[in-house]
Amino acid sequence: MASTNKSRVLKVEPLNHTDAKWATLVKITYSDPEGVTRDWEASERLTRPKGSDIDGVGVVAILQDPSKPDQSPRILLQKQWRPPVNATVIEVPAGLIDPKESAEVCAVRELKEETGYVGEVVGEGFGVSPIMFNDPGFCNTNLRMIHVTVDLSLPENQNPEPSLEENEFIETFSVPLKDLWDECRKFEAEGYAIDARVGTLAEGVECAKRWKLH
Amino acid sequence: MASTNKSRVLKVEPLNHTDAKWATLVKITYSDPEGVTRDWEASERLTRPKGSDIDGVGVVAILQDPSKPDQSPRILLQKQWRPPVNATVIEVPAGLIDPKESAEVCAVRELKEETGYVGEVVGEGFGVSPIMFNDPGFCNTNLRMIHVTVDLSLPENQNPEPSLEENEFIETFSVPLKDLWDECRKFEAEGYAIDARVGTLAEGVECAKRWKLH
């Protein structure tokens, strides 16, 4: 396992939904297209704010220095150990949405808190993704991905200082976006787990390169 | 909501883990990097075969006709109503892995069952993705994405006939891979939900186009 991983699982126990604060298990009774009544089991977060249509956001933050236009854009990534998978995961910055917070505001806030960088949401219809469901056959958890650029020439981005909670241990780094697929394969070989947002973004970039989708 | 949606949720009830067959809820006790003992709540599938490191696969199936090299490659997508999100979801073909089945074999089998198409796993280190975790702060569910090409000129791909289970209702279609981001936005506007694999793949393609990552 990766050298950053000093965390470890001590015990895993079944949890009754009446004792849970953050997650729950539900039985869904539904009517199928032919009118047959069927059951489905699913899990849900208990943290989605009332009135919000998402649990949180992920941030695709692209680092750029306008004075160095020849540099290939880099994507900001994180290493964070996650109890549910008992591994250090390669992720994009992300977080749960606060009550009445917009997805864009949440993304810029989480980026600053987790990495110290000040970013700007990109325009031209590419700043805010549709709502994406993480595993819709299993749970209702979802997010919007927010696309942000970080201008490395700005004074506020010279010495980025994260403001982490006392139970958060996050290491920030970056890789060239065009090499993300190869980087994911390397990280897996080193014992890291790959978050689906990172791996699937890498697949999309690689598809575009291989199929010459300009 | 989309016209294909004849399914509907009748009832959602809390489910005790002792009554669940497919999913469960767990309390994880872990030691953080500073040696502090903490708790985390998570959910898990109960269906992962013993000895398997994944729950299932997703399939990026690219339709091609070698006699029409100028045609932009199209990606195979599905519409499937999902009880956990109470919506018809735009997804890639996917499925749970059988005991002792390889990810590649599972992908070709699920593609054939769900869409009728016969595909071939691509080579050059791009056929099989790293293991990707769907929502690693919430659950341990994961998959590998398998990249497949479907040769539309083959006799077996002339009249693809799915073999669906009696509780499966899946509609298959395709869109140009290069337009996937715009298609996702259109589908959301029409009331469909977007699976994270489809949406994030679209983001990757769009990033590559916008940042000119060749």
Side-chain angles (χ1 to χ4, degrees):
Chain A
M1 178 42 65
S3 62
T4 51
N5 176 21
K6 290 175 189 159
S7 304
R8 62 200 173 94
V9 168
L10 302 173
K11 195 166 55 174
V12 180
E13 300 161 287
L15 178 64
N16 195 321
H17 69 86
T18 53
D19 296 327
K21 288 179 199 157
W22 305 88
T24 195
L25 203 61
V26 295
K27 183 170 90 169
I28 301 166
T29 308
Y30 68 99
S31 174
D32 83 7
E34 293 172 351
V36 178
T37 299
R38 299 179 185 276
D39 289 337
W40 198 273
E41 297 173 7
S43 64
E44 302 184 351
R45 285 186 190 272
L46 294 171
T47 48
R48 191 181 296 181
K50 217 170 182 151
S52 176
D53 53 6
I54 54 173
D55 291 307
V57 301
V59 187
V60 178
I62 303 295
L63 305 180
Q64 279 188 298
D65 187 333
S67 70
K68 298 169 185 164
D70 292 344
Q71 278 188 348
S72 188
R74 300 178 72 88
I75 179 170
L76 209 57
L77 298 176
Q78 299 181 334
K79 295 176 184 176
Q80 184 168 17
W81 186 85
R82 294 292 197 172
V85 302
N86 194 8
T88 300
V89 185
I90 307 298
E91 303 181 358
V92 292
L96 299 180
I97 203 156
D98 284 343
K100 300 187 180 172
E101 191 179 40
S102 76
E104 294 95 317
V105 168
C106 180
V108 172
R109 173 179 62 73
E110 287 285 353
L111 182 68
K112 180 80 169 76
E113 286 175 9
E114 291 189 351
T115 75
Y117 282 112
V118 176
E120 190 178 359
V121 178
V122 307
E124 299 171 51
F126 193 50
V128 181
S129 84
I131 298 174
M132 300 186 192
F133 289 87
N134 298 323
D135 194 350
F138 175 73
C139 57
N140 72 345
T141 72
N142 67 5
L143 51 64
R144 286 187 195 272
M145 292 283 273
I146 310 298
H147 290 251
V148 163
T149 49
V150 173
D151 181 342
L152 293 176
S153 72
L154 294 177
E156 57 266 38
N157 286 327
Q158 296 314 304
N159 291 297
E161 284 291 340
S163 325
L164 299 174
E165 312 263 350
E166 49 100 37
N167 65 343
E168 279 185 319
F169 302 90
I170 298 176
E171 184 188 339
T172 297
F173 65 103
S174 69
V175 302
L177 182 57
K178 71 173 171 49
D179 302 332
L180 192 55
W181 175 261
D182 290 336
E183 293 289 341
C184 285
R185 288 167 56 101
K186 269 188 240 170
F187 278 120
E188 183 171 68
E190 289 169 12
Y192 293 94
I194 310 295
D195 178 85
R197 276 138 291 281
V198 176
T200 316
L201 196 75
E203 285 185 278
V205 169
E206 200 69 14
C207 277
K209 286 162 58 184
R210 288 175 183 246
W211 293 103
K212 304 191 196 314
L213 308 174
H214 306 153
Chain B
M1 178 44 63
S3 62
T4 51
N5 177 22
K6 292 176 188 158
S7 304
R8 62 198 174 95
V9 168
L10 302 173
K11 195 167 55 173
V12 180
E13 300 162 287
L15 178 64
N16 195 320
H17 69 86
T18 53
D19 296 326
K21 287 179 200 157
W22 304 88
T24 196
L25 204 61
V26 295
K27 182 170 89 168
I28 300 166
T29 308
Y30 69 100
S31 175
D32 84 8
E34 292 172 352
V36 178
T37 299
R38 299 179 185 276
D39 288 337
W40 199 272
E41 296 172 9
S43 64
E44 302 184 350
R45 283 186 191 273
L46 293 170
T47 47
R48 191 181 296 180
K50 217 171 182 151
S52 176
D53 52 7
I54 53 173
D55 290 307
V57 301
V59 187
V60 178
I62 303 295
L63 304 180
Q64 279 188 298
D65 187 334
S67 70
K68 298 169 185 164
D70 292 344
Q71 278 188 347
S72 189
R74 299 178 73 89
I75 179 170
L76 210 57
L77 298 176
Q78 299 181 335
K79 294 176 183 176
Q80 184 169 17
W81 186 84
R82 293 292 197 171
V85 303
N86 194 9
T88 300
V89 185
I90 307 297
E91 304 182 357
V92 292
L96 299 180
I97 202 157
D98 284 343
K100 299 187 181 173
E101 190 178 41
S102 74
E104 295 95 317
V105 168
C106 181
V108 172
R109 174 179 61 73
E110 288 284 354
L111 181 68
K112 180 81 170 73
E113 286 175 10
E114 292 190 350
T115 75
Y117 282 113
V118 176
E120 190 177 359
V121 178
V122 308
E124 299 170 51
F126 194 50
V128 181
S129 83
I131 297 174
M132 299 187 193
F133 289 87
N134 298 322
D135 194 350
F138 176 72
C139 58
N140 72 345
T141 72
N142 67 5
L143 51 64
R144 286 187 194 272
M145 291 283 274
I146 310 298
H147 290 251
V148 163
T149 49
V150 173
D151 182 342
L152 293 177
S153 71
L154 294 177
E156 57 265 40
N157 286 328
Q158 297 314 305
N159 291 298
E161 285 292 339
S163 325
L164 299 174
E165 312 263 350
E166 49 100 38
N167 64 344
E168 278 185 320
F169 302 90
I170 298 175
E171 184 188 339
T172 297
F173 64 104
S174 69
V175 301
L177 182 58
K178 72 173 171 49
D179 301 332
L180 191 56
W181 175 262
D182 290 335
E183 293 289 341
C184 285
R185 289 167 56 100
K186 270 188 240 169
F187 279 119
E188 183 171 67
E190 289 169 11
Y192 293 93
I194 309 295
D195 178 85
R197 276 139 292 278
V198 176
T200 317
L201 196 75
E203 286 185 277
V205 169
E206 200 69 13
C207 277
K209 284 162 60 184
R210 288 175 183 246
W211 294 102
K212 304 190 196 314
L213 307 175
H214 305 153

